[in-house]
């Protein structure tokens, strides 16, 4: 018997400011959030991307600008319970989900829809190190993963090594791009709420405060969001995509704070600005902010001609 296949489309639409990055989310009847998503219609959608744009507009009212294909998710069983793909989706279908990443400089008004701009650190509280390493990493997640590793029998040592590398434990460095690896490890260990939901795994044997595990999302959407975070954290270092998140005019401090909010790390102010000067990515406008009680800051813009010149790089991210 042939297993039917349904192709789902999902979008991680990101906006950012100096406070936090935000993902555009839909809200279900039970209050659980998800990403804008829907089924690809071979008759009605000429391409995956056009289908994706239709679903985002219909569910959130947002008009996507910059988008790129993120990843294709097809693991058996990881989509359970399935996101709603409509009445015409085949029953018991194997879901293949094509994810997209979109960037916008503005959190548009979506109040007319059942949607919300959600701080992306709410599902991943262990990822934000701008004010130092979160206590939950060493006080909650590290010990819980160590207990899980101990149950691995002959694989116990390898489990522990993976946890130490992913979460920067026992003196290992924190590598910000490993967002998906960290979430996948929590899922595999049965700690993520989605693992309990999808597999019926019992988390009671390893006690972890719910706040340390982050907010769950529908279907496989937290995994998709984790993939997007890791992709964006890496990509801003080699392509100037961060400027898709910036307004037309900005201060260098504005830019630094957005980069820091994406990376979840503090940057060295002087070294960041020196690297930016050498890159040729921005140009001063000779205009200044009207500071109240402080020193006016010069406004800059992104030199979009660097894209046509063919040698555009990303922004360097020297840690503070």
């Amino acid at each position: 018997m042939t297993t039917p296949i349904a192709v789902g489309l999902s979008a991680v639409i990101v906006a950012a400011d100096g406070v936090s990055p935000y993902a555009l989310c839909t809200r279900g009847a039970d209050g659980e959030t998800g990403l804008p998503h829907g089924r690809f219609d071979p008759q009605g959608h000429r391409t995956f991307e056009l289908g994706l744009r239709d679903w985002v507009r219909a569910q959130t009212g947002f008009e996507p600008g910059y988008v790129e294909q993120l990843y294709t998710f097809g693991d058996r069983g990881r989509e359970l319970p399935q996101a709603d793909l409509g009445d015409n989706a085949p029953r018991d279908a194997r879901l293949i989900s094509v994810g997209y990443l979109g960037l916008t400089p503005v959190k548009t008004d979506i109040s007319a829809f059942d949607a919300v701009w959600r701080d992306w650190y709410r599902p991943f509280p262990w990822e934000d190190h701008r004010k130092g390493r979160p206590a939950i990493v060493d006080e909650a997640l590290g010990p819980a993963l160590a207990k899980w590793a101990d149950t691995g029998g002959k694989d116990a040592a390898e489990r522990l090594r993976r946890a130490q590398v992913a979460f920067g434990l026992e003196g290992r460095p924190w590598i910000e791009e490993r967002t998906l690896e960290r979430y996948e490890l929590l899922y595999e260990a049965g700690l993520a709420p989605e693992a309990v939901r999808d597999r019926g795994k019992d988390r009671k044997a390893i006690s972890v405060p719910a706040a340390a595990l982050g907010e769950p999302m529908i279907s496989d959407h937290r995994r998709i969001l984790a993939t997007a975070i890791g992709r964006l954290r890496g990509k801003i270092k080699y392509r100037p995509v961060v400027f898709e998140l910036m307004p037309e005019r900005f201060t260098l401090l504005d830019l630094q704070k957005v980069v820091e909010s994406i990376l979840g790390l503090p940057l060295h102010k002087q070294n960041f600005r020196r690297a930016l000067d050498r890159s040729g990515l921005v140009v001063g406008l000779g205009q200044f902010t009207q500071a109240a009680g402080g020193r006016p800051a010069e406004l800059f813009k992104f030199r979009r001609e660097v894209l046509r010149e063919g040698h555009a790089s990303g922004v360097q991210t020297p840690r503070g």
Side-chain angles (χ1 to χ4, degrees), residues 206-264:
I206 304 177
S207 178
V208 183
L213 297 171
E215 294 182 358
M217 299 178 73
I218 66 170
S219 190
D220 211 15
H221 288 196
R222 194 152 59 135
R223 184 190 185 203
I224 297 172
L225 179 55
T227 304
I229 293 172
R231 169 76 63 84
L232 187 55
R233 284 177 167 180
K235 192 162 187 175
I236 62 175
K237 300 174 184 178
Y238 65 86
R239 294 293 297 168
V241 294
V242 69
F243 296 101
E244 301 294 338
L245 296 166
M246 302 301 299
E248 184 177 351
R249 303 186 306 162
F250 50 85
T251 68
L252 296 186
L253 182 59
D254 292 336
L255 178 60
Q256 179 180 335
K257 287 187 174 296
V258 167
V259 174
E260 288 176 332
S261 76
I262 294 292
L263 296 178

Side-chain angles (χ1 to χ4, degrees), residues 2-18:
T2 302
T3 301
I5 291 177
V7 177
L9 305 170
S10 56
V12 180
I13 305 294
V14 176
D17 55 28

Side-chain angles (χ1 to χ4, degrees), residues 3-8 73-79 82 85 90-97:
T3 301
I5 291 177
V7 177
F73 304 85
D75 294 12
R76 181 182 291 113
R78 286 298 306 272
E79 74 280 2
Q82 283 190 4
L85 294 183
R91 293 190 62 186
D92 301 320
R94 173 79 177 273
L95 177 62
I96 306 299
S97 181

Side-chain angles (χ1 to χ4, degrees), residues 23-37 58-60 84 109-118 122 215-218 221:
L24 180 59
C25 293
T26 58
R27 290 184 291 199
D30 58 357
E32 201 170 36
T33 58
L35 301 170
H37 67 280
Q59 294 177 356
T60 69
D84 183 10
D109 181 7
I110 53 174
S111 58
F113 294 80
D114 202 3
V116 63
W117 290 100
R118 181 61 52 88
R122 289 177 64 169
E215 294 182 358
M217 299 178 73
I218 66 170
H221 288 196

Side-chain angles (χ1 to χ4, degrees), residues 11-127:
V12 180
I13 305 294
V14 176
D17 55 28
V19 177
S20 188
Y22 305 89
L24 180 59
C25 293
T26 58
R27 290 184 291 199
D30 58 357
E32 201 170 36
T33 58
L35 301 170
H37 67 280
R39 185 185 177 205
F40 173 67
D41 178 2
Q43 302 300 320
H45 297 145
R46 185 165 59 85
T47 67
F48 284 172
E49 182 178 323
L50 290 175
L52 183 281
R53 290 175 180 274
D54 284 349
W55 281 116
V56 172
R57 283 192 296 267
Q59 294 177 356
T60 69
F62 178 79
E63 182 64 52
Y66 174 93
V67 296
E68 64 176 61
Q69 193 169 128
L70 177 65
Y71 197 74
T72 299
F73 304 85
D75 294 12
R76 181 182 291 113
R78 286 298 306 272
E79 74 280 2
L80 299 174
Q82 283 190 4
D84 183 10
L85 294 183
D87 296 336
N88 295 324
R91 293 190 62 186
D92 301 320
R94 173 79 177 273
L95 177 62
I96 306 299
S97 181
V98 183
Y100 282 81
L101 171 64
L103 306 177
T104 176
V106 179
K107 288 191 297 177
T108 57
D109 181 7
I110 53 174
S111 58
F113 294 80
D114 202 3
V116 63
W117 290 100
R118 181 61 52 88
D119 181 335
W120 82 15
Y121 289 118
R122 289 177 64 169
F124 305 101
W126 56 86
E127 292 289 336

